[in-house]
Amino acid sequence: MATKQKTLQDAFYETLKDVYYAEKQSVRALKKSAKAAEHDELKQAFETHAEESAVQVERLQQVFEIIGKPTRAKTCEAMQGLTAEMEEDLEDFGDSPAADAVLAACAQAVEHYEIARYGTLKTWATQLGYKDAAKLLDETLQEEKKTDQLLSQIAERINVEGSEEETDDVEAAPKRGSKAKAA
């Protein structure tokens, strides 16, 4: 029995379902991160982006409508991995001076994943002739990039604060985050 060959349309829909799941997970993770964050600016960034992400979920629902497909989520293994890593890091670093720096790094990992996915979806939407969908996806892409830049700025400050604890080893490596930007 011959199977139907997959198309870019199929890839677009499957990736859209994946991102829909990921974005819904992101809203939950951001709310949890906001509760865990000590640094006021980081807490505010998480709260603001959680609200923004809820709107992004609505935008994705509009994209499903535009392409005439049912709004469905498909388990996103990448987002599950990123949120599991965040949970583990919260457990490991939760009461340490580095906790907020670690939270910011986890959030940036999520943002980088979302930037990659929204960039791909926007390109594919354009190639498939979904002009309105491409516009909605680009709007979200720009928000994700802006959030990543904000997290980088915040991380530069809190990484320094989190690295201020002195070590006993005189020849220790440079303090984490003291000069490097969070990735």
Side-chain angles (χ1 to χ4, degrees):
M1 181 170 132
T3 57
K4 182 184 170 230
Q5 189 170 5
K6 297 285 186 174
T7 65
L8 184 59
Q9 177 71 39
D10 297 320
F12 180 77
Y13 183 50
E14 291 303 311
T15 304
L16 190 62
K17 293 189 297 187
D18 181 86
V19 169
Y20 184 63
Y21 176 95
E23 200 66 68
K24 290 168 78 173
Q25 290 297 108
S26 177
V27 171
R28 288 188 202 105
L30 286 161
K31 288 178 180 179
K32 188 169 194 163
S33 295
K35 286 180 184 174
E38 292 291 324
H39 193 276
D40 287 336
E41 190 178 9
L42 184 61
K43 184 182 290 283
Q44 181 61 49
F46 288 150
E47 289 170 354
T48 299
H49 195 55
E51 292 168 12
E52 197 171 62
S53 292
V55 172
Q56 292 170 352
V57 167
E58 292 172 11
R59 260 189 229 126
L60 288 170
Q61 292 166 344
Q62 292 174 27
V63 172
F64 281 106
E65 284 180 34
I66 289 168
I67 67 169
K69 297 276 189 179
T71 301
R72 290 210 172 99
K74 177 176 93 174
T75 302
C76 175
E77 301 292 335
M79 185 58 79
Q80 284 188 318
L82 291 168
T83 54
E85 187 175 302
M86 183 195 79
E87 295 284 340
E88 186 179 308
D89 286 349
L90 275 174
E91 196 172 298
D92 290 347
F93 294 92
D95 294 328
S96 77
D100 279 355
V102 169
L103 269 177
C106 290
Q108 282 197 283
V110 169
E111 292 309 308
H112 292 181
Y113 175 75
E114 291 176 337
I115 288 167
R117 287 312 215 180
Y118 281 111
T120 296
L121 284 170
K122 175 191 160 195
T123 299
W124 289 351
T126 301
Q127 291 172 335
L128 293 167
Y130 298 128
K131 184 180 170 185
D132 292 340
K135 185 177 175 186
L136 290 169
L137 293 164
D138 184 58
E139 191 174 342
T140 298
L141 176 61
Q142 297 314 313
E143 289 170 354
E144 300 295 5
K145 287 179 178 181
K146 182 180 167 196
T147 298
D148 180 52
Q149 289 174 339
L150 175 62
L151 287 170
S152 286
Q153 292 166 1
I154 295 170
E156 286 176 1
R157 291 187 289 281
I158 60 179
N159 287 347
V160 170
E161 292 168 13
S163 68
E164 289 175 352
E165 192 171 299
E166 291 298 316
T167 63
D168 293 334
D169 186 359
V170 178
E171 298 203 359
K175 295 176 187 173
R176 262 181 55 170
S178 61
K179 295 205 180 207
K181 218 178 192 181

